Amino acid sequence: MRRNSFFLIALALTLSAGPALAHYPVNLKASHNTVSKSPILLDGTISFAVYADFSKAKDQRSVRFALKEGDELNVEYLIVDAAPTNKLKSSQLPGVTITTPSGKKIVMKINERSPFYEPYGKKNYFFLSRISQSAEAGIYSITATAKRKSSAVLAIGRTETRGEYLEVGSSARTCPITLKNEDLISEGRANQLISMSEVEAEVCAAANSWIYRIGKKDGEEFMLTKDYRTNRVTVSIESGFITKVSVG
């Protein structure tokens, strides 16, 4: 599937500064062990709860999310109050690092272990670290690295509304796996945008560092430059969905 929608509240996080917030679940798999293969949350201001389980030291899980200029970056690092993770010292818990669109690294330092009870799942959690600051426009990534068998929860965003994310893969209607230094976009990779929504296609292109532009929308054609760019996609849109993609 190219996207997932969530309609049931999975996690209510009680913040010290405000009321409970509903978060929609994303379960990271073993295949999400690199940023290039990680799912992409279309809007990082929407409340998501990202779950990661680790079976051994050095296991990694990653997730990406899009933010716009003027948005707030809100990320919280938590653990479930359950063995074995709740028995670990702070130095033994997974390390969590946020990478901004400009490449800056933000390490989520564990500076608390504040308990709270989540009534929907009837579970106890601990807050370990929280970050809230003005965001850069673009694609953020978070990577969690285990030091031993454990688990982690990453709460991203605060807006309580329907959330969607892009699956990553090589099949139709999934976002292509990110390649390093992709100077020439193949037709096959570009065509994976077909049938995506306008937002999905734009976020997917940004995640792959493709230049993205709209050539035609609902029958209206736009004036475009005649230069040929091998790292650019030009899309046609009908009723909010991509119907055609060309490279150049």
Side-chain angles (χ1 to χ4, degrees):
M1 293 176 63
R2 63 186 165 93
R3 60 182 177 181
N4 284 273
S5 301
F6 309 102
F7 302 95
L8 298 177
I9 294 174
L11 179 65
L13 302 180
T14 303
L15 302 179
S16 60
L21 297 178
H23 286 62
Y24 298 99
V26 178
N27 294 300
L28 297 182
K29 305 172 185 176
S31 60
H32 299 143
N33 58 351
T34 64
V35 171
S36 64
K37 298 177 182 178
S38 64
I40 310 164
L41 314 183
L42 296 182
D43 185 348
T45 67
I46 292 176
S47 299
F48 287 92
V50 181
Y51 296 89
D53 292 318
F54 308 98
S55 60
K56 61 184 184 301
K58 298 184 179 180
D59 271 358
Q60 289 192 329
R61 299 290 183 271
S62 295
V63 65
R64 289 175 282 181
F65 55 95
L67 289 173
K68 299 176 182 178
E69 185 176 354
D71 285 345
E72 287 288 320
L73 169 67
N74 291 295
V75 180
E76 295 157 334
Y77 175 16
L78 311 93
I79 57 171
V80 179
D81 185 9
T85 306
N86 65 343
K87 304 298 183 183
L88 300 178
K89 299 177 182 178
S90 294
S91 60
Q92 298 172 322
L93 290 167
V96 176
T97 301
I98 302 169
T99 303
T100 71
S102 63
K104 179 182 177 182
K105 304 290 185 181
I106 303 172
V107 176
M108 297 198 73
K109 297 180 180 179
I110 297 175
N111 53 19
E112 62 174 303
R113 196 172 285 219
S114 306
F116 75 95
Y117 176 71
E118 182 269 294
Y120 293 96
K122 298 181 179 180
K123 289 184 179 180
N124 290 301
Y125 290 81
F126 290 107
F127 280 108
L128 301 182
S129 182
R130 318 185 203 202
I131 288 178
S132 181
Q133 62 186 50
S134 297
E136 297 178 24
I139 306 297
Y140 281 77
S141 67
I142 303 179
T143 297
T145 304
K147 298 174 183 177
R148 59 191 62 206
K149 184 176 180 180
S150 55
S151 61
V153 182
L154 300 170
I156 300 170
R158 290 184 176 175
T159 303
E160 298 180 49
T161 188
R162 171 180 171 176
E164 296 181 340
Y165 69 87
L166 278 168
E167 298 276 7
V168 172
S170 57
S171 59
R173 299 188 300 177
T174 62
C175 187
I177 296 170
T178 302
L179 303 178
K180 289 185 178 180
N181 303 318
E182 186 176 19
D183 296 324
L184 173 61
I185 304 169
S186 70
E187 181 179 346
R189 283 170 58 81
N191 283 341
Q192 287 182 232
L193 300 182
I194 293 175
S195 296
M196 286 186 182
S197 71
E198 185 174 351
V199 172
E200 289 171 332
E202 187 172 1
V203 169
C204 179
N208 281 281
S209 299
W210 297 349
I211 300 171
Y212 175 90
R213 67 179 183 178
I214 300 171
K216 184 177 180 181
K217 186 172 183 179
D218 295 328
E220 180 183 0
E221 295 188 358
F222 301 99
M223 293 185 64
L224 302 173
T225 59
K226 297 295 185 180
D227 59 315
Y228 187 82
R229 304 285 296 273
T230 59
N231 63 339
R232 180 174 64 196
V233 291
T234 302
V235 302
S236 296
I237 301 170
E238 291 290 340
S239 301
F241 292 90
I242 308 303
T243 57
K244 183 180 178 181
V245 183
S246 61
V247 178

